Amino acid sequence: MTLKGGLISVIGAGTMGNGIAHLFAQHGFKVNLVDISQEQLKKAINTITKNLDRQLSKGTITEDVKETTLSNIKTFPVLADGLRESQLVIEAATENTELKLNIFRQIDEAAPADCILATNTSSISITKIAAITKRPGSVIGMHFMNPVPVMKLVEVINGFSTNKEVTDTIVSLSKQLGKTPCVVNDFPGFIANRILMPMINEAIYSLYEGVAGVEEIDTIMKLGMAHPMGPLQLADFIGLDVCLSILNVLHTGFGNPKYAPCPLLINMVAAGKTGIKSSEGFYIYSANTKELVVNKRFA
Ligand code: NAD
């Protein structure tokens, strides 16, 4: 099974969906980008245009590539309309089990019988998602990292029933996109987030317990452990709501209290402070400056 060229549908046009659409479109695929929110679809095209302009100004792409990439992407507010001729669907909607099960029920109805159904979920069971469809062998995890056009890794997750042919197709497709795939098995958080999220949670606990401030925690992990970004900045970047959802999946999935999300994280999400996408998290973000400004609440 090969997917050279062809039509890809991306469900969800948020942080990850716009990056996935950008990546495929730049590699010559036609992309149908689907979101229930027209505003998110508009925002996604603006973000992709801005990111292509950045690549253009760095000289890594030409004006031609920019125009072709943009012309390869079509937007759809209705799920079924964006799926009819797809070879591959990549779901990148909000990290919520019920929502994803509901979306996969609809995708299974609307997508062609031989279409592969992938999810970009950070932590939710691929096996559970697959079981809601009539083609569990064709369901797989294709977990991109943020920002998608830049980060090299694709964590490929085999569900209990995933066919080997489907895994092989996604592995070779990832390579075709210039990425390095790593195949793992389906357990809560897989590998990336099973290891990353407890570290982020511990950083938030350290702040919550007053062991150190935002800047100190992030500086220690950057300079001491050679991380390119501190864990609190990374949490803002990922989205605090996404971090909370993943920790909840780890906590319930393993039944181990070590994964219980820090109350400060729960409170910040309840208050709508979700990091970069809401302009406020452990840091404050404004369009005018790239300088990192610690949220006054934690200063
Ligand atoms: P996000 O909140 O930025 O975007 C989610 C999008 O899904 C929104 O635009 C929303 O309107 C849309 N949506 C919600 N319900 C929908 C529906 N029924 N049909 C179509 N669209 C719908 O979230 P995100 O950060 O892009 O995360 C998306 C997925 O990618 C999640 O599963 C997340 O765990 C995973 N992920 C996130 C990151 C990250 O760094 N943010 C990294 C890797 C994987």
Side-chain angles (χ1 to χ4, degrees):
M1 198 186 288
T2 50
L3 287 172
K4 286 222 158 62
L7 178 65
I8 309 292
S9 299
V10 179
I11 316 299
T15 312
M16 296 304 286
N18 82 64
I20 297 168
H22 176 157
L23 176 73
F24 276 94
Q26 195 178 322
H27 281 81
F29 290 87
K30 299 281 180 208
V31 177
N32 286 353
L33 181 58
V34 181
D35 202 292
I36 40 167
S37 156
Q38 283 278 16
E39 198 191 322
Q40 282 291 87
L41 288 170
K42 225 187 280 162
K43 221 165 113 187
I45 297 298
N46 286 341
T47 304
I48 294 168
T49 309
K50 232 172 44 199
N51 290 339
L52 285 164
D53 281 336
R54 191 175 312 122
Q55 290 173 279
L56 196 59
S57 69
K58 282 185 183 162
T60 54
I61 60 166
T62 60
E63 185 68 44
D64 252 16
V65 171
K66 177 189 161 186
E67 291 313 318
T68 315
T69 302
L70 285 173
S71 70
N72 278 344
I73 304 173
K74 278 195 197 147
T75 58
F76 293 81
V78 176
L79 190 120
D81 294 346
L83 301 187
R84 285 190 225 291
E85 285 158 37
S86 264
Q87 288 183 280
L88 168 68
V89 176
I90 303 176
E91 172 278 320
T94 313
E95 185 77 347
N96 173 294
T97 306
E98 285 316 309
L99 183 128
K100 286 195 193 287
L101 292 179
N102 191 21
I103 289 177
F104 268 83
R105 229 181 260 122
Q106 295 176 55
I107 296 175
D108 194 32
E109 287 290 313
D114 59 351
C115 177
I116 294 178
L117 311 187
T119 171
N120 185 53
T121 180
S122 303
S123 59
I124 296 168
S125 165
I126 309 301
T127 305
K128 193 168 182 178
I129 290 173
I132 208 84
T133 73
K134 294 186 198 78
R135 57 182 108 182
S138 301
V139 178
I140 190 161
M142 191 176 192
H143 183 204
F144 290 91
M145 305 293 130
N146 184 15
V148 179
V150 177
M151 297 291 280
K152 284 283 176 212
L153 178 70
V154 178
E155 191 178 29
V156 177
I157 306 114
N158 278 330
F160 191 83
S161 312
T162 309
N163 291 334
K164 184 174 181 307
E165 199 190 20
V166 168
T167 310
D168 292 346
T169 303
I170 296 301
V171 163
S172 79
L173 177 64
S174 303
K175 289 180 184 162
Q176 195 189 327
L177 295 166
K179 305 293 185 196
T180 302
C182 280
V183 181
V184 307
N185 291 317
D186 184 24
F187 288 92
F190 322 127
I191 287 294
N193 283 300
R194 181 172 179 164
I195 295 173
L196 174 65
M197 283 303 150
M199 184 191 72
I200 285 180
N201 201 34
E202 205 55 35
I204 302 172
Y205 261 116
S206 305
L207 178 69
Y208 176 66
E209 291 171 3
V211 182
V214 171
E215 238 173 327
E216 289 73 19
I217 292 169
D218 274 357
T219 304
I220 285 167
M221 296 306 286
K222 270 193 294 190
L223 301 186
M225 319 300 155
H227 290 190
M229 196 185 270
L232 298 174
Q233 188 188 355
L234 181 57
D236 276 358
F237 188 66
I238 292 169
L240 301 189
D241 52 339
V242 177
C243 294
L244 178 59
S245 302
I246 298 170
L247 281 162
N248 282 331
V249 169
L250 288 168
H251 191 205
T252 44
F254 289 115
N256 186 331
K258 77 176 176 181
Y259 298 111
C262 175
L264 175 59
L265 175 65
I266 296 172
N267 264 357
M268 288 176 75
V269 174
K273 313 300 181 197
T274 52
I276 291 182
K277 63 185 158 191
S278 73
S279 307
E280 183 177 347
F282 297 106
Y283 297 88
I284 298 289
Y285 302 89
S286 88
N288 310 327
T289 173
K290 278 194 166 168
E291 199 194 328
L292 260 185
V293 180
V294 173
N295 190 336
K296 278 206 292 287
R297 282 181 153 274
F298 305 116

